[in-house]
Amino acid sequence: MADIATLILEIIKCMATPTCRCVDYHRKFKRDVEDLKSKVRDLNSRKKDVETQLDAEVCLQKQVKQQVEDWLQDAQRINVEIQKVERRVDNASFLSRARLGKLVREKINAVDTILQRGRFPEGLVVNKPATALPFREENLEGEVSVKEKIWGYLTGNEVQMIGVCGIGGVGKTTIMKHIHDELLLESRFDKVIWVTVSHPLNVVRLQYEIAKRMNESLLENEDEQRRALELKEMMGRVKYALILDDVWQGFMLEDVGILRPAVENGCKIVITSRKVDVCKSLGCEIVKVSPLSKEESLNLFLDKVGRDILQVPELEGFWKAMVEECAGLPLAVVVIARSMKGVTNVREWRHALNELRRRVRATAEGSEDEIFERLKFSYDRLQDSNIQNCFLSCSLYAEDYEIRRDDLVEQWIDEGLIEESSRQVMLDNGHFILNKLENNCLLENGHSKDTIKMHDVVRDMALRIGPQFMVKARVRLTEIPDEHEWTKNLEKVSLMENRISDIPLNMCPNCPILTTLMLQGNSKLSQIPDCFFANMQGLKCLNLSETSIESLPHSICDLENLTTLLLRDCRQLKHVPCLAKLKALKKLDMFKAGIDVVPEGIDMLVNLQYLDLCCPKLVELPTQILSNLSHLQHLTVYSKWTTLKIKGEEVRGLKKLETFQAQLYDLQDLNNYVKSNHFKRLSNYQLVVGPVDDFFDSFINNFSKEISLGECEIGGEDSVVLPDDVEDLWIYRCRKFRSLSDIYSLQKTTELRRCTIAECEEIECVVDMVTSSSSFINNLERLWLDKLPNLSVAVNVEGVEATSPHIFSNLNLFLISECSTMKRLFSFELLQGLQNLEDIIVRNCQQMEEIIGWEGEEENHTANATTTTTTFTLPKLRRLKLHNLPELKIICPTRGVMVCDSLHKLQIRECPKLRRIPLVGNVRPSPPAALEEIHIEPKELWESLEWDDPNAKNVLQPFVHFF
Ligand SMILES: *[C@@H]1O[C@H](CO)[C@@H](O)[C@H](O)[C@H]1NC(C)=O
Ligand SMILES: *[C@@H]1O[C@H](CO)[C@@H](O)[C@H](O)[C@H]1NC(C)=O
Ligand SMILES: *[C@@H]1O[C@H](CO)[C@@H](O)[C@H](O)[C@H]1NC(C)=O
Ligand SMILES: *[C@@H]1O[C@H](CO)[C@@H](O)[C@H](O)[C@H]1NC(C)=O
């Protein structure tokens, strides 16, 4: 009834309006609908791009960012909504369009918003998070009874709070790490939460850390009590085991918001502390960790020093005596043993033993000094003062901080602790020192291979014996330490990663011998008073990265000894005073800084070795600047969001350059640069010509030797000259580009590892054997083809007598999407080479019919194939994804069976014409050994498949999942 009423109403309305307006309206409606359709097309092509790229990236052990996942879901959701609208539009009477008009316009806006959000310049993936990873500690020496005792309390009902006590270095943390890892393997607790408590205790940090380790987040900026309530509620939802490592002072659980463990909730808290009083004040049952027995100490010592010393009987007396001096402290045993590893000279052992005794005699039993002096012994044995300084410098990072290895080495270089040389040599030296410290157990492995850590007791020692350091790193400071704390004898100051928001206007610390100042990661810091550096004339290394400073204070200009100025990610930075006087400056890093002109005086910095000017707003680099900087080793001025271009010839004079990353003016410029052979000096480069789509770019992280060509005219005799050592090649939107074989200079390269070709309209084949050899792709590891509407085959072998069995023999990932005329992915011949292929991803190829097919007509082969089964072997294939291939009929020819024992995952979505899944046949009665899952969509496809072997379906059924 209501509908009829509105209908009548509309008829009346429409009759009341002049016809032309009605027609107008009708036209506008049609336009809107078209608009909506085109927006949805844009959105969906963006969505496909994102999905395609994710496919390629997720195999690098990364995880999709939440924001990207959300976006994909939104894009999917709006598609469903739009389909509904479209159906209504198709069905709508002329008159009811009036109401629909508004809806259509709303949807246009909605699609627009999602489209806008669909850019991810920071990349789509992140490394997997580090919540509750096991520590994987080495074997535990001794301490079996202690561990059993703690375990008993954790599993029993009598004790809820456990205090593990003992002096520093006795192994409390190590025991708990073992227990932590074992708890993770069980399901006794919902959450096992490990938090290293900083010293001094900071309630706010503790609250956030606990939440983080529970994989939850607390709202920022609330008052402490509200946060405590929130945390308590969070903890109330799970049965938790909370391990608080290294607690130095008492606190109230209620203040932090830690739900009190009780028999009823089954939760437990374990605290480790050097202080029994602290554990008692918290109401813990005490478990004392005693030093190792003599036997255990000897065992541990031998493990670490290497049992080959047993071959030298003269040494026995010495090492036994040395173990005795370790007082059963595992940390001391380990560190001292490591420092003696490889020493076989009796004199050296005697000398070392005397040194150790001398130190130990000076300490009182049971005091903190006990461990310090023993660790110091090992530090002294490093002997090289450079290495010692590198070690001390690690203590500038926060307690329990996982330092990236590369960052640490870079820091040592920046601080001038590594002898000057080429970058390559300095980096190698740095890593050598790092390994040495690690082998000596003065540094230890972090959670991931790329990070290292300092044991808290070792760090305490470093801070104690080191020169004058002030370290307040990551302790949630909101104010800079008072001027009186900045004493005259300070040598290094680290206030990194706090919340310091401003510095008093007249503050001007008097620290004449301060060499390193780290203020990075104080993201709220927006201003530094002009005179701040006036009395820091010795400053060499200044890190202001990741702050919000808008201008650099003038007193910086006079720091004549400054060698390193780091302003990475200072996105607010607009004003930089003239830098001409910083004659000693070797490194200037302005990656992502907000400046829009090059700092004045930069051309006077003749000692500069490292320059990063990847600044999004920078559009011009005045000529002549680069040619003055003849010591440059590292020059990076290109990133995905930069527009700055430079001329290749400007760097040709830079004889020391090793790393070069830039956008060049045009193809001609690139050709000239390559012909100059300057690239031969470089150990890595990324040279870009033309626009490169940003999804391309987020894939580039550690550039090696890379060329990217966007919207260029390539093909023909010498249209592009490529360096003969190029490893990565990106070709994007090059209209006339027909095949890699047309790039003459590419034939001479031997290092090509990765190749991506996208949006090139005319390309017909990747390699054309008719016109070139295929040797240049023999080392190719990754091939990515996207949106190539004319591509018909990967390798054209038409009329070629014999193809090389090595084609693509190193290929590991093959990804192809939106190549709308391609019918067959691989010929049987080509398959012979693909023995290293791990990933095949095929998406959105409208005419794709076969994944593997016979070259030529199938009949030629079927004659003998009817009786025998052909096998197609891809021994390393791990993942096969087939998505939206409307014409796909076969994965491999009739009666063929794919033999791929490494296959983990098979995914088939929207391939309605597929008839067979050739994984099981009479030659292969069982599923691939590594198979984990088969994903099929829609479900009906699975039911409609045909099977050569009656048993095959049953064999595969257990692996099948539907979307
Ligand atoms: C379209 O109209 C027909 C007939 O008027 C009706 O049966 C059908 O359900 C309508 N479809 C939709 C999607 O509204
Ligand atoms: C953390 O939480 C996110 C989202 O709530 C979830 O997707 C993820 O699997 C969780 N990670 C862990 C290690 O629990
Ligand atoms: C400077 O700070 C940045 C940002 O936190 C960090 O990545 C870099 O390693 C620091 N470098 C030095 C030498 O401290
Ligand atoms: C700068 O460095 C030189 C050489 O290391 C040193 O002699 C000089 O005293 C330093 N200047 C200041 C002001 O510390």
Side-chain angles (χ1 to χ4, degrees):
M1 282 301 284
D3 270 355
I4 295 176
T6 35
L7 191 66
I8 294 172
L9 206 69
E10 272 179 30
I11 295 172
I12 296 171
K13 264 203 280 182
C14 197
M15 286 196 310
T17 30
T19 356
C20 56
R21 265 184 65 191
C22 241
V23 172
D24 258 4
Y25 188 82
H26 180 62
R27 277 209 197 105
K28 181 163 182 323
F29 179 73
K30 275 181 88 172
R31 262 204 320 272
D32 284 349
V33 170
E34 279 315 307
D35 197 15
L36 179 62
K37 285 186 177 159
S38 104
K39 284 259 154 62
V40 171
R41 272 196 300 275
D42 288 352
L43 179 71
N44 285 338
S45 84
R46 181 84 207 136
K47 179 164 164 267
K48 276 184 198 161
D49 284 349
V50 169
E51 285 169 343
T52 305
Q53 193 194 348
L54 281 179
D55 266 339
E57 289 197 34
V58 169
C59 53
L60 305 174
Q61 324 287 309
K62 305 263 169 128
Q63 176 173 316
V64 183
K65 281 187 188 166
Q66 192 58 42
Q67 132 201 45
V68 176
E69 250 171 34
D70 290 349
W71 184 82
L72 283 170
Q73 269 174 18
D74 287 350
Q76 187 55 38
R77 186 180 42 74
I78 195 93
N79 259 298
V80 175
E81 286 173 22
I82 301 287
Q83 275 165 18
K84 281 193 205 145
V85 174
E86 278 179 352
R87 250 178 274 133
R88 283 178 66 186
V89 168
D90 290 345
N91 230 6
S93 69
F94 185 78
L95 292 173
S96 62
R97 288 182 172 187
R99 264 176 302 144
L100 273 177
K102 187 157 165 256
L103 187 62
V104 168
R105 280 189 305 276
E106 268 173 28
K107 292 297 170 204
I108 292 177
N109 288 338
V111 175
D112 234 1
T113 318
I114 296 177
L115 199 54
Q116 300 296 334
R117 277 173 41 216
R119 302 243 139 212
F120 305 97
E122 316 272 334
L124 303 176
V125 292
V126 284
N127 290 323
K128 300 208 161 140
T131 45
L133 286 175
F135 289 101
R136 294 200 196 87
E137 280 292 300
E138 289 179 39
N139 287 341
L140 195 59
E141 183 66 49
E143 316 293 10
V144 181
S145 60
V146 174
K147 207 179 127 190
E148 273 169 6
K149 201 161 171 190
I150 301 171
W151 195 254
Y153 287 153
L154 278 169
T155 52
N157 268 337
E158 293 104 80
V159 176
Q160 273 66 49
M161 305 258 306
I162 306 147
V164 180
C165 301
I167 59 172
V170 80
K172 304 179 290 295
T173 303
T174 314
I175 294 171
M176 284 318 297
K177 282 180 176 171
H178 276 266
I179 291 179
H180 171 264
D181 286 3
E182 280 164 37
L183 286 177
L184 282 186
L185 295 177
E186 294 203 348
S187 50
R188 195 176 300 275
F189 297 97
D190 305 332
K191 295 263 176 185
V192 183
I193 312 163
W194 179 288
V195 177
T196 305
V197 181
S198 64
H199 172 46
L201 183 102
N202 181 316
V203 171
V204 187
R205 180 182 168 276
L206 191 54
Q207 292 174 323
Y208 281 104
E209 271 315 293
I210 295 176
K212 190 169 120 197
R213 297 288 162 163
M214 290 178 71
N215 193 21
E216 305 250 8
S217 54
L218 285 174
L219 298 175
E220 281 284 332
N221 282 332
E222 264 189 297
D223 69 277
E224 202 163 305
Q225 278 185 345
R226 294 258 309 276
R227 237 179 356 243
L229 279 177
E230 201 188 336
L231 185 63
K232 198 162 175 177
E233 206 186 286
M234 216 178 262
M235 298 186 82
R237 290 199 287 268
V238 294
K239 182 175 166 192
Y240 70 81
L242 173 64
I243 302 167
L244 297 173
D245 187 36
D246 205 19
V247 178
W248 283 74
Q249 67 201 79
F251 59 92
M252 305 288 285
L253 294 184
E254 288 69 26
D255 290 349
V256 180
I258 299 174
L259 180 79
R260 189 165 279 283
V263 183
E264 298 75 46
N265 58 28
C267 301
K268 304 274 177 174
I269 294 182
V270 187
I271 284 164
T272 78
S273 178
R274 297 182 202 174
K275 303 186 171 187
V276 180
D277 299 351
V278 170
C279 292
K280 283 198 175 139
S281 79
L282 281 156
C284 294
E285 183 74 26
I286 306 292
V287 179
K288 204 157 175 352
V289 182
S290 326
L292 297 179
S293 71
K294 195 170 164 185
E295 179 111 15
E296 289 164 342
S297 297
L298 280 171
N299 256 331
L300 185 58
F301 190 91
L302 281 175
D303 271 354
K304 296 294 168 183
V305 79
R307 289 189 185 260
D308 41 355
I309 62 161
L310 293 173
Q311 320 263 312
V312 193
E314 305 89 85
L315 299 183
E316 187 175 329
F318 293 111
W319 58 261
K320 283 198 165 154
M322 215 171 234
V323 174
E324 209 129 305
E325 298 297 335
C326 293
L329 296 171
L331 183 63
V333 173
V334 166
V335 167
I336 290 172
R338 281 305 185 145
S339 74
M340 297 306 294
K341 194 178 166 81
V343 177
T344 48
N345 182 307
V346 175
R347 280 180 197 285
E348 194 171 345
W349 272 93
R350 184 182 302 124
H351 173 72
L353 178 62
N354 285 335
E355 274 303 296
L356 182 60
R357 282 192 168 141
R358 193 173 58 75
R359 298 203 159 279
V360 172
R361 218 163 287 139
T363 64
E365 203 175 324
S367 73
E368 290 294 334
D369 292 357
E370 256 201 303
I371 184 84
F372 288 148
E373 288 301 329
R374 290 175 172 93
L375 295 178
K376 174 98 184 339
F377 163 81
S378 164
Y379 164 85
D380 287 341
R381 279 193 53 83
L382 290 172
Q383 278 156 0
D384 183 324
S385 68
N386 264 344
I387 300 182
Q388 288 174 330
N389 283 327
C390 286
F391 164 74
L392 295 179
S393 183
C394 303
S395 61
L396 294 171
Y397 289 86
E399 195 179 328
D400 210 41
Y401 192 96
E402 304 231 339
I403 316 172
R404 288 193 51 234
R405 285 166 188 269
D406 291 343
D407 284 356
L408 187 57
V409 169
E410 198 68 39
Q411 187 197 324
W412 290 340
I413 297 176
D414 292 347
E415 287 197 76
L417 298 175
I418 295 199
E419 197 188 337
E420 216 160 279
S421 179
S422 72
R423 291 260 318 152
Q424 194 65 58
V425 171
M426 289 194 286
L427 291 172
D428 289 348
N429 266 341
H431 281 280
F432 173 79
I433 293 177
L434 210 161
N435 288 343
K436 173 148 183 151
L437 292 174
E438 200 180 348
N439 285 335
N440 279 286
C441 292
L442 289 169
L443 295 180
E444 52 192 67
N445 231 324
H447 262 117
S448 94
K449 280 203 308 258
D450 322 331
T451 60
I452 55 109
K453 275 171 59 167
M454 214 170 188
H455 189 289
D456 55 343
V457 181
V458 175
R459 182 171 175 272
D460 287 348
M461 185 262 302
L463 285 172
R464 229 166 90 162
I465 61 172
Q468 288 297 314
F469 286 7
M470 170 160 72
V471 182
K472 298 187 179 195
R474 211 185 247 198
V475 289
R476 291 193 168 243
L477 281 191
T478 52
E479 282 169 19
I480 197 155
D482 269 350
E483 201 158 336
H484 73 260
E485 291 185 50
W486 295 72
T487 51
K488 267 190 151 165
N489 54 359
L490 279 180
E491 290 179 31
K492 297 187 184 187
V493 171
S494 166
L495 301 173
M496 68 166 95
E497 298 183 20
N498 282 305
R499 288 153 181 248
I500 300 171
S501 56
D502 54 10
I503 299 179
L505 260 183
N506 50 3
M507 186 162 171
C508 175
N510 186 7
C511 301
I513 59 169
L514 188 69
T515 57
T516 298
L517 176 55
M518 301 178 123
L519 281 170
Q520 73 257 30
N522 283 287
S523 57
K524 302 210 170 107
L525 183 65
S526 61
Q527 255 191 348
I528 299 179
D530 256 340
C531 62
F532 190 76
F533 299 104
N535 294 325
M536 294 186 189
Q537 291 301 317
L539 202 59
K540 285 185 175 165
C541 180
L542 176 59
N543 199 346
L544 294 173
S545 302
E546 291 176 30
T547 60
S548 303
I549 49 167
E550 288 155 18
S551 60
L552 283 185
H554 277 281
S555 49
I556 277 196
C557 304
D558 298 320
L559 296 175
E560 290 184 7
N561 278 349
L562 195 68
T563 57
T564 302
L565 180 55
L566 305 175
L567 301 163
R568 281 178 87 78
D569 275 301
C570 293
R571 297 181 196 208
Q572 311 302 324
L573 184 64
K574 297 272 165 356
H575 309 288
V576 176
C578 178
L579 301 178
K581 282 206 273 174
L582 301 182
K583 287 280 189 301
L585 203 64
K586 289 183 194 152
K587 174 166 177 178
L588 178 61
D589 187 347
M590 303 194 75
F591 180 84
K592 272 196 189 171
I595 51 163
D596 51 16
V597 290
V598 171
E600 202 185 323
I602 209 172
D603 49 334
M604 307 293 280
L605 305 177
V606 292
N607 286 311
L608 213 55
Q609 295 173 347
Y610 185 114
L611 178 61
D612 188 327
L613 279 179
C614 295
C615 309
K617 295 193 184 140
L618 202 60
V619 288
E620 207 193 342
L621 188 65
T623 46
Q624 292 300 312
I625 286 191
L626 292 178
S627 42
N628 275 353
L629 306 178
S630 61
H631 287 89
L632 273 189
Q633 299 174 331
H634 177 112
L635 175 64
T636 42
V637 288
Y638 170 79
S639 192
K640 53 201 153 188
W641 24 256
T642 56
T643 49
L644 185 71
K645 291 180 186 171
I646 68 170
K647 270 221 163 317
E649 66 190 39
E650 288 191 50
V651 301
R652 273 197 245 162
L654 303 180
K655 301 235 174 338
K656 296 189 172 164
L657 204 61
E658 293 169 58
T659 296
F660 180 34
Q661 190 184 28
Q663 179 170 17
L664 300 181
Y665 270 88
D666 50 28
L667 212 49
Q668 196 55 43
D669 193 17
L670 173 72
N671 290 350
N672 289 341
Y673 172 76
V674 174
K675 282 181 196 157
S676 78
N677 276 332
H678 181 267
F679 73 88
K680 297 210 154 124
R681 302 177 179 281
L682 303 176
S683 47
N684 50 31
Y685 55 76
Q686 183 189 16
L687 303 175
V688 177
V689 176
V692 174
D693 193 30
D694 62 64
F695 88 79
F696 256 82
D697 221 321
S698 61
F699 200 58
I700 302 166
N701 3 57
N702 271 330
F703 58 95
S704 42
K705 295 189 171 183
E706 184 177 314
I707 302 282
S708 304
L709 306 169
E711 297 182 8
C712 296
E713 299 265 323
I714 48 177
E717 277 287 292
D718 53 11
S719 65
V720 54
V721 185
L722 295 176
D724 54 19
D725 58 358
V726 61
E727 291 169 8
D728 281 57
L729 182 61
W730 301 74
I731 297 179
Y732 169 70
R733 243 186 236 167
C734 294
R735 266 198 334 110
K736 297 198 175 143
F737 171 61
R738 306 181 70 104
S739 121
L740 289 179
S741 297
D742 288 357
I743 303 180
Y744 183 67
S745 56
L746 193 60
Q747 318 297 320
K748 287 181 290 186
T749 66
T750 51
E751 307 294 325
L752 194 64
R753 310 276 155 182
R754 287 162 292 265
C755 178
T756 302
I757 306 172
E759 296 188 39
C760 298
E761 282 165 31
E762 299 197 12
I763 181 171
E764 288 166 3
C765 60
V766 180
V767 179
D768 189 348
M769 297 286 288
V770 180
T771 58
S772 79
S773 97
S774 61
S775 59
F776 69 97
I777 49 161
N778 285 352
N779 286 325
L780 200 65
E781 287 162 12
R782 175 185 285 256
L783 180 61
W784 182 357
L785 306 172
D786 189 33
K787 301 198 185 76
L788 309 175
N790 265 315
L791 189 79
S792 58
V793 287
V795 181
N796 181 25
V797 292
E798 219 169 300
V800 177
E801 287 284 296
T803 56
S804 153
H806 300 299
I807 299 184
F808 293 136
S809 56
N810 279 302
L811 197 65
N812 148 330
L813 172 80
F814 185 47
L815 194 153
I816 176 165
S817 61
E818 294 187 53
C819 293
S820 52
T821 53
M822 196 162 184
K823 292 202 162 91
R824 175 194 304 136
L825 193 63
F826 303 122
S827 66
F828 180 61
E829 287 74 13
L830 198 55
L831 188 75
Q832 315 298 315
L834 301 172
Q835 301 303 302
N836 279 306
L837 198 56
E838 291 181 15
D839 269 281
I840 302 178
I841 296 158
V842 190
R843 284 173 172 274
N844 309 318
C845 297
Q846 294 309 308
Q847 298 188 35
M848 186 71 75
E849 292 174 5
E850 315 170 296
I851 300 303
I852 303 165
W854 300 112
E855 188 65 41
E857 297 304 311
E858 176 150 356
E859 290 83 63
N860 300 346
H861 301 276
T862 41
N864 55 0
T866 42
T867 46
T868 55
T869 306
T870 317
T871 53
F872 299 88
T873 312
L874 288 167
K876 300 232 176 114
L877 188 69
R878 290 169 51 83
R879 194 165 59 146
L880 175 60
K881 275 195 176 186
L882 307 171
H883 186 181
N884 188 19
L885 307 171
E887 293 299 321
L888 184 73
K889 294 186 189 70
I890 61 172
I891 294 179
C892 71
T894 324
R895 298 195 59 82
V897 173
M898 283 176 80
V899 178
C900 20
D901 282 330
S902 309
L903 190 70
H904 268 56
K905 193 167 180 173
L906 171 66
Q907 201 182 78
I908 300 173
R909 297 173 69 180
E910 296 166 59
C911 303
K913 295 196 177 162
L914 188 69
R915 291 281 69 93
R916 294 172 66 241
I917 293 183
L919 290 180
V920 176
N922 48 15
V923 288
R924 276 269 141 177
S926 51
L931 191 64
E932 280 172 7
E933 54 183 3
I934 301 178
H935 267 233
I936 305 247
E937 180 187 272
K939 200 173 173 178
E940 294 74 49
L941 180 71
W942 175 251
E943 300 304 335
S944 69
L945 289 173
E946 294 155 15
W947 304 94
D948 300 341
D949 184 314
N951 199 22
K953 188 176 180 184
N954 290 340
V955 168
L956 295 178
Q957 184 80 49
F959 299 95
V960 175
H961 298 266
F962 304 105
F963 283 95

